[in-house]
Structure formats: structure tokens, C-alpha cells
Amino acid sequence: MNSIPRLPLARWTDQAIDFLQTRWGPSTQAFSDQMENFIKGMQEILLGIPPELFIIAVVLLAWWLTGGKMAIFSLAGLFFIYNVQLWTVTMETLAMVFTAVLSCGIVGIPLGILSAKNQTAHNIIAPILDFMQTLPAFVYLLPAIPFFGLGVVPGVLTTIIFAMPPVIRLTDLGLRQVPQELIELGKSFGSTFLQMLFKIELPLARSTILAGINQCIMLSLSMVVIAAMIGAKGLGGVVWRAIQTLKFGMGFEAGLAIVVIAMILDRITQNLGKSR
Amino acid sequence: MEKVIIKNLTKIYGHNTDRAMQMLRNGASNQEIREKTKQVVGVRDASFTVEQGESFVIMGLSGSGKSTLLRCVNRLIKATAGEILIDGEDINQMSSRRLEQVRQEKIAMVFQRFALLPHRTILDNIAYGLEVQGLRRPIRQEKATQALELVGLKGWEDSYPDSLSGGMQQRVGIARALATDPDILLMDEPFSALDPLIRQDMQDELLDIQQKLQKTILFVTHDLDEALKVGDRIALMKDARIVQIGSPEDILLSPASDYVARFVENVNRSRALTASTVMVKPRAVAYPKDGPLTALSHMERHGLSTIFVTDRAGHLQGYVQAEEASDLVDKGIRELDSIIRHNMPTASPDTMLAEIMDTLAYCKVPVAVIDEQRKLKGVLVRGSVIAGLAGGRRVSHE
């Protein structure tokens, strides 16, 4: 066993990243700037809304979609976040989550459609998704640094990679689960490919796709917190600082705020799929 | 006019079907082909023609290939070999654009499990085909509303499919198929998922609609009673092959094989048999100028208790009963006129037996079968009717 030389996988990976960095460095920089502007813009919008108005809007939405209990929880939870002065960092986190989820949707849903429609594409995409989902989240963070440096952008990019698989998978699944008879219905009336997709398949896969988006939001939230290790700020940044300075109280407050945001986002998006 | 012509249609499921096709041409059985090539024969060498306005039923048990055959007609399943001509145009040779066009305009389909879109209202479900055609909303709504009214669902426009019963859902399916005014309707076991009573209502309704619209219908079913009721002609399938094509009466009275004979054994014949198939020739008739004695002797000779009276050209006048005739003889009256009864049950040659069973059961006089000119064509006596209902072969006419 020992006579076989050690496989230099780590060195190859480093070399590959070096190569990619010198080759693509300038363009990743441009992309990085774009992304950063977008996230900043999103943050400004969220912070531009007066907290009172924001809280009332969320409470009403929760009440309309899920009922009284969730409305009360949202009211109490958001008031708590405002009260312990975590509002600004919470909005930072939300801006990153929304950016990531939006990107996941824009890229993931078409990929899911492709994967459902084309078996070859499916055979290529499925193992990549397995790889993306099982590789420990921390390992993503490393290669993001040489390309995008420290900060919000690599944090959001790793979040996108981490959170996209369920969107692709569940879009694929939702489309494959459309009953055969309804596919035949569409074809027998002479529907074109796009008519099939938009009039029959996507509407019928809607709740499954929304379940994918819901999972994507939850994964994004958890990853955005971890991404604080490479400087993504937000609530995760507070937790990370608390760990480094051993301030248990501060960490607990920020942790609670994450739980509140997670529950509100989860319940609201879950019920989005149930209404007609 | 021939609307759909199917020539030597064969469907083999699988990727490379050349070898299986070769074996099939050389007469290998479905099982041999499956064992040697792992490929399944769906339809074997089916040929038939459906006329404009005809209801053509494809019937067989599950797995006989009837649904596959139906799906080849609008190319939901692409046939492996053979031609499917719709108005003379082979659907297998069409470009995908042309195929979409033909499906939009000429052929509509009705499904076994209704295939309604749960996220659309009833009206929008019915309008689906019109939407695919690219019609504007007001026109769509107008046409869909007409179709909705045709199937008697007025007032349900804005409901969703899950609030409708099975029978109503299938009415929506039929309305959707009719909304685009296609020439051809493909119906894949449309009533199999419904309760028996609802099923019969729907069959009646389909016949009504067909009376009005005269579509060309290809109707798949596994229920022989349904096939006999709906079909102008029936193709019976077994093991991917068509074993017999014929009118309902052909199938019932002269089954082409033991398989068909066994199939028709348990059917309710009264729905398929007409008066003309079970009537017997009147053994004797009397003429108005005959005296009672002549009539009585006719009756005695043939062992009858009543005798029909016709004029020389065979037009039915009425009937005479034996006791009354002998009364006349006793009284020495020479004319029959006073005892001819004109009020009597009659049937036309096309009348279904089911419709005259009651009359036959309660009426003491045989039922006269007459044509439009009231010419006496035959007589229904209980014995011949029972024989017709009970057993396959045509009842002898004498």
C-alpha cells in the first residue's frame, strides 16, 4: 500500500485554482462588483423601509397566509429583533438571502426544466447536485476567496451554490410528476412546447417548485450565517464575533434572531404553495 | 366519405424494432417476439376505415391494444409501421408543425380519467383547445360557453374541477373536445370510470349529441354493452390484433371466432337486437274479403289463436281472434269486417328489442312488425324473441 505514491489531489486543486484565478481574475472582478452593487441596493431598499411599516407588512402577510398564531409570532419576533438592536444586521442578512434565492430561482428553475425534459441533461446534472449538496459547506468557502476575496460577494456566491440543488431537483421532480393523462391532454390538443410548459406543466408543478424554493430559502439562511466566516457580515457576523470574543449573550441574541427570521420565512413560503 | 383510413398499422414498443418487425412479418407470435427481442407488440397489422359521421368502437379487454391503436390515430403514440390517413393525409409523415395544426383543428380527445386541469375553472378547462389555437379571450369564452351549455353544465363556469362529480367532470371533458369543433373525436374509455347508472345516462347523452353534430367518433371500451349501444360498427381486438369488424348485430349473431362468441355470451342482447332480427314470417294472413270460415280454417291449420288481416298489397289492416270468428260462423254472418280489431301493438323493423319487451310481456296478441307504409314484414312471438335473446344464431324465418 505504502509503495503507491500519494495522490497529489490537493496540489492539483491548488494549481487549477491558481490557473483559473490568473485566467479569469479580471472578469470575476467585474462580476463581483456587479453582484456587490446588487446586494447593496437590496440592503438599501430593505433598510429604507421604516421598521414599523416592515413589521406591520410582515404581520399582515403572515395573518393572510397562515393565520393568527403566526401573525402574533411575527409581531413578537420582529419586535424582539428591533428591540435588541439587530435590525440593521438582520436586513443585511435578508438582503443576502433574497439575492441568493433570486439567483437560485433564475438559474435553478430553467436547469430543473432542462433536467426534466432531457434525460442526458438529467444524467449530467444529478451527480453534480449530489456533489454540491454533500460536500461540506466550509469547503466551498475556500475557493471563493481567491476569486472574490473576503466579503459579501463570495458569501452570497457560495450560498447560491449551496442552496440551488433543491430548486433544480424539485423543479425536475414536479415536472416529472405531472400525470401522463394531462401530458396527453396537452399534446392531443396540439399544444406547442412552450404552451405545454406554461399552461400545463409548470402550473401543475407549482407547489413542488415552491417547496424547492422554500428549502432554498432555509438553506440560504443557514449558509449566509456560515459565510460570515469569510466576511459576509449580517446576523452571522454577529454570531461569528461572539464566538471569537466568547460573548455568549450576544451570540444567543443573534441566534434567536436567526431562528425568528427562519420561522417566518419558512411558514410564509410553505403556505404560498397551498393557495390556488 | 372516408374520414380515417388505417392500413396495416403495427406498433412495437422498444427502440430498435427492425428485428421484431421482421419476425412479425414472418408470422411470429407476440410471445415469440417478446422472448427473442424483449419488445412488446402493441398493435398488429390493423386495417379499417371509418366513414364521416360514423361511430366506430374499438373494443377488447385490457392489454388487447385498443388504447394503443387509438393513440396512434393522433400520434400520441407513433406507429412503427403502416399508414394512418386523416382526410387522405398520413399523420405519421406530418411535420411537427403540421401535426400540431391537425391536432388543434381536426382531432380532439376525451380521456378515461377526464384529464381536467385542476388549476383552471370549468370554463377555462373547456377553452383549453381554443386557447392553444390562439383565439382571443372573448371568442374563447363565447365558444366555450356554447359547449358548456351543450353538455348541460350551465352555471358551473367558475367552479373548479374538484367540486364536480365524475359524471359532470366527464361532461366537461366532452365539452372541451367539442369546443374546437373538430371533425374527429377520439374517446378513450370515456365512461369506464363512472357509476353504471351515470354511465348509461352519459351514453344516451353522447348519442343525443352525436345525433345533432354528426362527428366521426373512434370510441374505445372494454364493455360490450356499451360498444353495442354506441357503435355503428365495432372492431373487436385480442392480443394486439383485430379479430372481427362488423355492425353490432354481426358481432352478436355471427361471431367470427370462439373468442368473440365467448365475449358476446353474457351481453344483454335486447339492446343490440332489433325487431327484424328475431321476427318470424306471419304463417298465415287473412284478407278483408275472406269470410270468417276461411279465416278460421287458416287459424286451425296453423294452430293460431289470432290472425293478421292485410290487403292484397300486404298493408296491415288489423287482426281477428278465433273465438269471435267462430261466433260469426255460428251466427251465419259472412263478412269479417265487424270483428277486425284495428287497435294493436306494432313495431318497426329497427326497433330495439329492449323497447318492446314490456309490450311483449303483457300483450296477448303477437306484435306486428310493419314498415313505414304499414306493410306487414313479420311477427314477434314470444318464442322467437326468447330464442333470439338466449342464443347466438339467427332465428329461422319459417
Side-chain angles (χ1 to χ4, degrees):
Chain A
M1 285 278 278
N2 284 331
S3 61
I4 304 168
R6 183 189 188 284
L7 192 67
L9 187 60
R11 193 155 48 84
W12 289 345
T13 312
D14 290 345
Q15 280 169 351
I17 286 176
D18 275 350
F19 172 77
L20 288 173
Q21 199 187 350
T22 47
R23 182 83 177 68
W24 299 106
S27 42
T28 53
Q29 189 54 49
F31 177 78
S32 173
D33 290 348
Q34 288 286 321
M35 187 112 199
E36 188 154 8
N37 285 339
F38 188 86
I39 300 165
K40 285 254 171 66
M42 184 84 88
Q43 267 177 28
E44 270 159 34
I45 292 169
L46 287 174
L47 285 170
I49 304 169
E52 299 85 351
L53 197 64
F54 190 96
I55 294 175
I56 290 169
V58 172
V59 168
L60 286 179
L61 192 67
W63 189 59
W64 178 53
L65 282 171
T66 60
K69 270 191 213 163
M70 203 55 216
I72 293 168
F73 177 84
S74 305
L75 182 66
L78 291 174
F79 179 75
F80 163 77
I81 290 173
Y82 182 73
N83 182 260
V84 296
Q85 295 174 353
L86 287 172
W87 190 263
T88 310
V89 283
T90 301
M91 291 304 122
E92 280 173 16
T93 297
L94 279 182
M96 288 190 283
V97 169
F98 289 159
T99 308
V101 171
L102 202 65
S103 313
C104 286
I106 290 170
V107 180
I109 291 175
L111 276 178
I113 294 171
L114 179 70
S115 167
K117 292 282 165 193
N118 184 316
Q119 194 56 37
T120 316
H122 179 82
N123 293 343
I124 296 169
I125 291 172
I128 297 177
L129 293 183
D130 291 337
F131 185 78
M132 280 161 75
Q133 277 189 306
T134 45
L135 197 70
F138 298 101
V139 184
Y140 287 145
L141 295 174
L142 286 170
I145 298 169
F147 287 106
F148 301 102
L150 291 171
V152 178
V153 173
V156 170
L157 281 176
T158 46
T159 303
I160 291 170
I161 294 170
F162 182 70
M164 195 172 341
V167 178
I168 302 176
R169 266 192 218 285
L170 286 168
T171 303
D172 182 350
L173 179 71
L175 292 178
R176 281 171 194 269
Q177 276 176 342
V178 174
Q180 178 63 20
E181 209 177 43
L182 294 179
I183 301 284
E184 286 191 333
L185 155 78
K187 287 188 183 163
S188 71
F189 278 90
S191 314
T192 61
F193 179 80
L194 288 180
Q195 284 172 333
M196 287 293 293
L197 200 59
F198 287 104
K199 291 181 194 294
I200 295 185
E201 292 169 311
L202 287 177
L204 286 165
R206 179 170 167 270
S207 60
T208 313
I209 296 173
L210 283 174
I213 298 283
N214 169 271
Q215 281 191 28
C216 174
I217 291 174
M218 294 295 103
L219 288 177
S220 296
L221 191 59
S222 70
M223 192 61 191
V224 155
V225 171
I226 294 170
M229 290 198 301
I230 55 168
K233 298 195 193 151
L235 283 167
V238 179
V239 174
W240 186 234
R241 228 173 25 253
I243 293 171
Q244 285 174 320
T245 53
L246 292 176
K247 285 184 178 157
F248 180 72
M250 186 170 96
F252 187 65
E253 276 177 1
L256 270 186
I258 292 168
V259 172
V260 167
I261 294 298
M263 283 186 69
I264 294 173
L265 283 175
D266 182 49
R267 296 302 189 278
I268 286 180
T269 52
Q270 254 182 25
N271 282 280
L272 230 50
K274 284 179 193 150
S275 54
R276 209 189 280 278
Chain B
M1 198 181 85
E2 292 152 341
K3 193 75 191 170
V4 181
I5 303 175
I6 299 205
K7 287 185 196 157
N8 307 104
L9 186 154
T10 293
K11 171 66 193 176
I12 297 169
Y13 288 102
H15 278 301
N16 195 351
T17 51
D18 291 350
R19 195 162 93 93
M21 201 61 216
Q22 192 58 45
M23 287 178 69
L24 188 137
R25 286 211 177 90
N26 293 335
S29 74
N30 295 345
Q31 185 155 7
E32 280 166 4
I33 293 173
R34 198 175 63 232
E35 279 164 9
K36 294 244 170 70
T37 66
K38 307 265 181 255
Q39 290 176 339
V40 177
V41 180
V43 178
R44 257 187 105 115
D45 201 24
S47 299
F48 58 87
T49 303
V50 185
E51 300 289 322
Q52 166 83 48
E54 187 182 23
S55 299
F56 189 88
V57 172
I58 302 167
M59 92 146 275
L61 298 175
S62 54
S64 60
K66 55 192 191 303
S67 286
T68 305
L69 178 53
L70 187 76
R71 280 167 172 69
C72 287
V73 176
N74 65 351
R75 216 171 105 180
L76 279 182
I77 293 175
K78 193 163 185 192
T80 312
E83 286 175 46
I84 299 132
L85 304 175
I86 312 278
D87 290 329
E89 199 179 354
D90 190 346
I91 200 151
N92 277 340
Q93 306 299 324
M94 287 177 193
S95 68
S96 55
R97 180 73 207 102
R98 177 66 189 144
L99 178 65
E100 276 166 15
Q101 221 175 353
V102 167
R103 283 169 171 177
Q104 281 172 18
E105 288 160 12
K106 278 193 190 171
I107 311 176
M109 194 158 179
V110 178
F111 296 86
Q112 184 174 6
R113 311 269 349 159
F114 323 133
L116 302 185
L117 296 168
H119 58 282
R120 285 171 170 247
T121 63
I122 297 309
L123 197 66
D124 284 345
N125 261 292
I126 294 176
Y128 183 79
L130 303 164
E131 210 177 302
V132 170
Q133 289 181 346
L135 295 179
R136 288 187 308 113
R137 193 165 179 82
I139 302 174
R140 273 182 352 226
Q141 297 232 329
E142 192 195 316
K143 290 191 172 189
T145 308
Q146 281 171 10
L148 181 100
E149 283 168 9
L150 186 68
V151 298
L153 280 179
K154 203 172 181 338
W156 291 89
E157 290 86 345
D158 299 324
S159 310
Y160 283 88
D162 56 12
S163 60
L164 268 61
S165 69
M168 289 160 92
Q169 290 194 29
Q170 193 57 299
R171 278 165 213 258
V172 177
I174 293 173
R176 176 176 59 192
L178 293 173
T180 54
D181 194 22
D183 302 340
I184 302 168
L185 281 184
L186 305 181
M187 308 187 83
D188 182 22
E189 303 210 32
F191 308 139
S192 300
L194 304 175
D195 296 334
L197 284 177
I198 311 271
R199 193 184 307 160
Q200 287 183 14
D201 287 349
M202 296 290 289
Q203 290 162 356
D204 292 337
E205 213 160 306
L206 177 69
L207 292 175
D208 275 358
I209 291 173
Q210 172 65 352
Q211 192 81 42
K212 278 182 224 156
L213 301 180
Q214 293 294 313
K215 300 287 181 194
T216 304
I217 300 180
L218 272 81
F219 188 107
V220 164
T221 180
H222 62 255
D223 176 353
L224 186 57
D225 277 326
E226 184 168 83
L228 296 170
K229 186 168 172 182
V230 172
D232 294 328
R233 277 189 309 145
I234 299 170
L236 243 146
M237 286 188 80
K238 188 202 177 197
D239 298 337
R241 238 190 260 268
I242 294 180
V243 288
Q244 184 173 9
I245 297 182
S247 68
E249 287 186 26
D250 289 342
I251 302 267
L252 274 185
L253 297 176
S254 37
S257 68
D258 281 354
Y259 175 75
V260 181
R262 253 182 297 136
F263 216 114
V264 301
E265 228 163 48
N266 298 319
V267 75
N268 183 350
R269 288 162 176 273
S270 69
R271 285 183 206 290
L273 295 182
T274 57
S276 64
T277 45
V278 292
M279 67 188 182
V280 293
K281 253 191 196 158
R283 277 182 254 177
V285 291
Y287 301 111
K289 62 158 197 55
D290 288 347
L293 205 56
T294 321
L296 208 54
S297 73
H298 280 318
M299 284 188 259
E300 270 165 13
R301 201 176 328 133
H302 294 285
L304 304 171
S305 59
T306 53
I307 189 165
F308 288 107
V309 181
T310 68
D311 64 15
R312 283 286 171 194
H315 297 106
L316 182 67
Q317 305 287 315
Y319 70 96
V320 169
Q321 288 182 314
E323 309 95 71
E324 291 181 346
S326 70
D327 280 354
L328 281 192
V329 175
D330 291 347
K331 289 177 193 158
I333 301 174
R334 300 232 166 174
E335 279 79 36
L336 267 180
D337 293 357
S338 60
I339 58 160
I340 295 178
R341 298 181 177 227
H342 302 284
N343 185 15
M344 56 193 287
T346 58
S348 83
D350 301 332
T351 309
M352 288 288 165
L353 275 191
E355 293 168 33
I356 38 176
M357 290 299 266
D358 279 358
T359 319
L360 279 167
Y362 297 113
C363 187
K364 292 195 185 95
V365 189
V367 175
V369 181
I370 51 175
D371 65 10
E372 297 97 84
Q373 284 87 44
R374 290 191 65 82
K375 260 191 175 171
L376 183 64
K377 306 302 266 187
V379 182
L380 293 176
V381 292
R382 280 182 215 163
S384 70
V385 172
I386 292 167
L389 288 176
R393 310 302 154 181
R394 190 171 281 264
V395 185
S396 83
H397 274 205
E398 189 59 43

